[in-house]
């Protein structure tokens, strides 16, 4: 493979027309080579995304589904309980089996030890090796046809062979001489007398190399020999494995059964709750005729009855409020229309008197001027009442046309110029160089901006007013900032209520009906825009109007911040000459 790369490079360099020839034995694929690792990378990324999506889906279902949480919790707790009970049960069974086996093994070993000692006393002379061999085989024969244990006699002197007695027809491949642990041998040799010791070990097989558990019991036979009994624990291990499988099977079935029980019980509770939630959602959406189905006489049935009673009461109250609101709107509209005729007559008479005020006495002249101003204010109030009634009735319409928001700002500032000059206030405009065209109703937007500018002048406490306009790809915005009395906490929402005033004791110098900001809020909402307020006591306030570029589109953000930028610098007022845009 190391020679293939140079051949490909030579083939690429020597091909005609600047086109590289494909390597020998490989199909041409449009002049591109496929990286073998790229497929693995894509598969890994796909698996990673799939795993993340699975985790997110499981987490979402866990948060949203009470049914799933109850069942999952029941399964987990049941599994933990069954695991704990199974562990205790298996531990008890294992302890009982081993204790019984140890008792039997010690008794058998004691009997074999006594027999071996008796044989040694009767045959003190003779071939010692032959005697030990016979004793080992005799003791092994006593284990019965099943070969319950094997017998090992080891000399106390190292590097000497011992004697093994076992049922060869039962375990011909077991290496009993290697199954006696060294720790047990050392423990017996360090002891005094014929005290018995036991420990656990492994019996290794010559055929397949497997190791079976075993119990080894040993004691000193004479000063020169030690007697060991090796008891296989295969039968006990089989019993323990059977108990473990039985516990695992019963535990699994019990956990599944508890899960099914939890599913059925939870479903009986969750289904009515879901039905109640759906009914509440439809009721909140305006379907006042929505009612729950009542089944039975239990707690859930009483919940359904209470819900239906509540829904019926709400429907009655809402209908009463709708009728009352309809009558109020109709009354306001009728009164506004009916007052227009006498107001027109009064205004005509007042205009005549106002035109000839110079010929009147000073006291009469002042009365005529007050009459003229109050008639004009009364006319504005009637116009605002009519506009509010249109919004309440849902009859307000928009005359949408593409317009530059900068023109609306300049017109609003121009309309309020005389008021600002009287109070010695300078209105500063910060307008972008590029057009900020949006689709809106110029009449309503001009009214909003004029109202915001006049209110800023009214509450600026003699300081300048800053009007800023900006636009981005999706929206345009205008912010009107003053440095006057400001707003207290919570008043940024109350200021849009009808006839609300921040300071009732404050004397109005520019008139006003108390409906301007309410109408402005309704006009902004009608455009799908926002009209928001910010303020701090003694730090001034800022009102921001945000409109979408295109009508019938959702407004997701504003090009201007609601909180003035100078507050992010830790100062209440901008420094002289500082640009706060």
């Amino acid at each position: 493979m190391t020679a293939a790369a140079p051949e490909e490079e030579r083939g690429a360099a020597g091909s005609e027309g600047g086109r590289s020839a494909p390597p020998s034995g490989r199909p041409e694929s449009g002049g591109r080579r496929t990286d073998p690792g790229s497929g693995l990378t894509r598969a890994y990324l796909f698996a990673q995304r799939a795993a993340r999506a699975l985790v997110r889906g499981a987490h979402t279902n866990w948060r949203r589904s009470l049914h799933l949480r109850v069942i999952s919790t029941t399964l987990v707790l049941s599994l933990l309980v069954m695991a704990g009970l199974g562990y205790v049960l298996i531990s008890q069974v294992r302890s009982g089996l081993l204790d019984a086996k140890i008792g039997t093994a010690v008794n058998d070993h004691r009997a074999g030890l006594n027999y071996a000692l008796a044989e040694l006393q009767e045959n003190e002379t003779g071939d010692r090796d032959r005697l030990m061999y016979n004793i080992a085989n005799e003791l092994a024969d006593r284990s019965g046809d099943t070969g319950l244990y094997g017998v090992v006699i080891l000399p106390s002197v190292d590097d000497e062979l011992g004697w093994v007695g076992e049922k060869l027809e039962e375990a011909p491949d077991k290496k009993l001489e290697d199954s006696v642990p060294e720790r047990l041998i050392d423990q017996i040799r360090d002891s005094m007398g014929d005290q018995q010791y036991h420990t656990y070990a492994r019996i290794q097989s010559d055929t397949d190399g497997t190791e079976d558990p075993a119990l080894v019991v040993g004691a000193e036979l004479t000063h020169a020999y030690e007697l060991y009994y090796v008891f296989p624990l295969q039968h006990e291990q089989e019993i323990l494995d059977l108990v473990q499988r039985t516990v695992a099977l019963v535990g699994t079935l019990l956990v599944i059964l508890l899960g099914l029980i939890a599913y059925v019980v939870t479903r009986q509770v969750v289904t009515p709750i879901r039905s109640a939630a759906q009914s509440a959602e439809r009721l909140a959406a305006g379907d006042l005729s929505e009612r729950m189905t009542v089944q039975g006489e239990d707690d859930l049935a009483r919940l359904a009855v209470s819900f239906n009673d509540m829904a019926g009461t709400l429907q009655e109250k809402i209908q009463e409020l709708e009728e009352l609101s309809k009558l109020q709107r109709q009354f306001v509209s009728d009164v506004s229309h009916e007052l227009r005729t006498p107001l027109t007559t009064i205004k005509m008479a007042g205009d005549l008197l106002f035109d000839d005020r110079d010929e009147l006495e000073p006291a009469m002249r002042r009365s005529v001027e007050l009459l003229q101003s109050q008639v004009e204010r009364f006319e504005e109030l009637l116009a605002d009442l009519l506009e509010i009634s249109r919004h309440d009735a849902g009859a307000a319409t928009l005359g949408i046309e593409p317009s530059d928001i900068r023109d609306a700002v300049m017109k609003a500032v121009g309309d309020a110029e005389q008021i600002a000059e009287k109070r010695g206030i300078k209105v500063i405009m910060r307008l972008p160089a590029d057009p900020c065209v949006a689709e809106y109703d110029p009449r309503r937007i001009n009214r909003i901006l004029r109202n915001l500018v006049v209110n800023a002048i009214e509450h600026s406490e003699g300081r300048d007013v800053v009007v800023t306009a900006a636009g981005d790809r999706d929206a345009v915005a205008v912010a009107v900032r003053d440095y006057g009395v400001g707003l207290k906490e919570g008043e940024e929402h109350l200021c849009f209520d009808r006839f609300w005033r921040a300071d009732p004791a404050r004397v109005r110098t520019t008139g006003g009906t108390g409906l301007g900001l309410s109408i402005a809020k309704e006009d902004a909402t009608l455009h799908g825009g926002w009209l928001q307020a910010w303020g701090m006591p003694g730090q001034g306030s800022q009102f921001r109007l945000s409109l979408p570029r295109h009508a019938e589109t959702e407004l997701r953000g504003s090009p201007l911040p609601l909180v003035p930028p100078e507050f992010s610098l830790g100062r209440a007022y901008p420094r002289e000459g500082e640009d706060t845009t």
Side-chain angles (χ1 to χ4, degrees), residues 474 527-528 548-555:
D474 300 320
H527 283 83
R549 285 268 191 181
H550 304 285
E552 307 298 332
T553 59
E554 183 180 359
L555 183 62

Side-chain angles (χ1 to χ4, degrees), residues 22 60 77 146 213 243 250 308 366 412 420 436 553:
T60 301
L77 294 179
T146 57
V243 172
V250 172
N308 293 339
R366 179 57 180 165
C436 293
T553 59

Side-chain angles (χ1 to χ4, degrees), residues 161 288 404 423 485:
L161 298 177
L288 301 179
D404 192 342
R423 304 198 57 167
V485 294

Side-chain angles (χ1 to χ4, degrees), residues 363-435:
M364 294 294 294
R365 185 186 311 116
R366 179 57 180 165
S367 300
V368 170
E369 291 174 351
L370 291 175
L371 175 63
Q372 181 71 13
S373 63
Q374 293 304 313
V375 168
E376 290 177 353
R377 184 178 176 186
F378 191 23
E379 188 176 22
E380 292 177 3
L381 177 60
L382 287 179
D384 289 345
L385 288 174
L386 285 173
E387 189 66 27
I388 283 290
S389 65
R390 292 191 190 97
H391 282 292
D392 290 341
T397 58
L398 293 176
I400 298 294
E401 63 181 61
S403 303
D404 192 342
I405 196 66
R406 298 179 303 174
D407 297 336
V409 171
M410 289 187 289
K411 187 177 188 309
V413 173
D415 293 342
E417 186 175 3
Q418 292 183 353
I419 301 175
E421 289 178 353
K422 289 180 180 179
R423 304 198 57 167
I425 295 173
K426 182 180 179 182
V427 180
I428 303 172
M429 291 186 292
R430 291 172 178 167
L431 306 179
D434 298 328

Side-chain angles (χ1 to χ4, degrees), residues 231-245:
F231 293 86
L233 298 178
Q234 293 180 351
H235 180 65
E236 286 75 10
Q237 184 64 45
E238 291 174 356
I239 294 176
L240 188 61
D241 291 342
L242 177 61
V243 172
Q244 289 177 343
R245 290 194 298 269

Side-chain angles (χ1 to χ4, degrees), residues 158-475:
D158 294 334
D159 299 330
E160 290 190 11
L161 298 177
W163 296 270
V164 176
E166 59 177 330
K167 304 287 287 185
L168 298 180
E169 65 277 7
E170 295 295 335
D173 59 343
K174 304 298 184 182
K175 299 170 65 175
L176 294 182
E177 66 275 13
D178 297 332
S179 63
V180 180
E182 291 292 336
R183 63 180 182 276
L184 182 60
I185 296 175
D186 295 338
Q187 187 177 15
I188 292 174
R189 290 178 181 178
D190 294 339
S191 66
M192 300 296 293
D194 60 349
Q195 184 176 357
Q196 293 175 294
Y197 297 93
H198 66 272
T199 187
Y200 297 104
R202 292 280 180 178
I203 304 176
Q204 188 173 2
S205 175
D206 287 334
T207 56
D208 54 4
T210 59
E211 294 182 349
D212 298 326
L215 174 67
V216 182
V217 182
E220 184 183 82
L221 182 59
T222 65
H223 292 292
Y225 301 99
E226 299 142 11
L227 176 62
Y228 298 93
Y229 272 26
V230 181
F231 293 86
L233 298 178
Q234 293 180 351
H235 180 65
E236 286 75 10
Q237 184 64 45
E238 291 174 356
I239 294 176
L240 188 61
D241 291 342
L242 177 61
V243 172
Q244 289 177 343
R245 290 194 298 269
T246 303
V247 170
L249 178 61
V250 172
T252 302
L253 294 177
L254 187 58
V255 168
I256 294 175
L257 182 61
L258 290 176
L260 293 176
I261 294 175
Y263 174 81
V264 174
V265 174
T266 309
R267 185 177 179 83
Q268 293 180 353
V269 178
V270 171
T271 300
I273 294 177
R274 288 177 177 174
S275 177
Q278 294 173 357
S279 299
E281 290 175 357
R282 286 191 287 267
L283 186 66
D287 186 5
L288 301 179
S289 62
E290 177 63 26
R291 297 294 185 273
M292 287 183 62
T293 303
V294 181
Q295 295 179 349
E297 299 178 355
D298 54 10
D299 295 335
L300 295 175
R302 289 197 294 272
L303 173 63
V305 172
S306 300
F307 180 88
N308 293 339
D309 293 341
M310 178 192 68
T313 303
L314 285 177
Q315 185 177 16
E316 294 176 359
K317 296 299 182 182
I318 290 175
Q319 288 177 350
E320 292 177 1
L321 291 175
E322 287 179 349
E323 291 294 332
L324 179 60
S325 177
K326 184 178 179 180
L327 291 175
Q328 289 178 340
R329 291 196 302 268
Q330 187 66 34
F331 174 77
V332 171
S333 179
D334 292 344
V335 168
S336 300
H337 281 288
E338 292 299 329
L339 288 177
R340 276 193 171 278
T341 300
L343 177 62
T344 303
T345 303
I346 296 173
K347 183 173 175 54
M348 292 175 61
D351 289 340
L352 292 175
L353 293 175
F354 187 76
D355 293 339
D356 297 335
R357 66 184 181 280
D358 294 335
E359 301 177 0
L360 300 177
E361 297 179 358
M364 294 294 294
R365 185 186 311 116
R366 179 57 180 165
S367 300
V368 170
E369 291 174 351
L370 291 175
L371 175 63
Q372 181 71 13
S373 63
Q374 293 304 313
V375 168
E376 290 177 353
R377 184 178 176 186
F378 191 23
E379 188 176 22
E380 292 177 3
L381 177 60
L382 287 179
D384 289 345
L385 288 174
L386 285 173
E387 189 66 27
I388 283 290
S389 65
R390 292 191 190 97
H391 282 292
D392 290 341
T397 58
L398 293 176
I400 298 294
E401 63 181 61
S403 303
D404 192 342
I405 196 66
R406 298 179 303 174
D407 297 336
V409 171
M410 289 187 289
K411 187 177 188 309
V413 173
D415 293 342
E417 186 175 3
Q418 292 183 353
I419 301 175
E421 289 178 353
K422 289 180 180 179
R423 304 198 57 167
I425 295 173
K426 182 180 179 182
V427 180
I428 303 172
M429 291 186 292
R430 291 172 178 167
L431 306 179
D434 298 328
C436 293
V437 179
E439 297 177 356
Y440 58 83
D441 186 340
R443 180 180 65 86
R444 295 183 182 274
I445 298 303
N446 291 340
R447 182 169 58 193
I448 294 175
L449 295 180
R450 183 173 62 252
N451 188 280
L452 296 180
V453 173
V454 171
N455 281 347
I457 295 172
E458 172 73 18
H459 299 88
S460 65
E461 298 293 327
R463 299 184 178 94
D464 293 342
V465 173
V466 180
V467 183
T468 306
D472 57 17
R473 184 183 63 180
D474 300 320

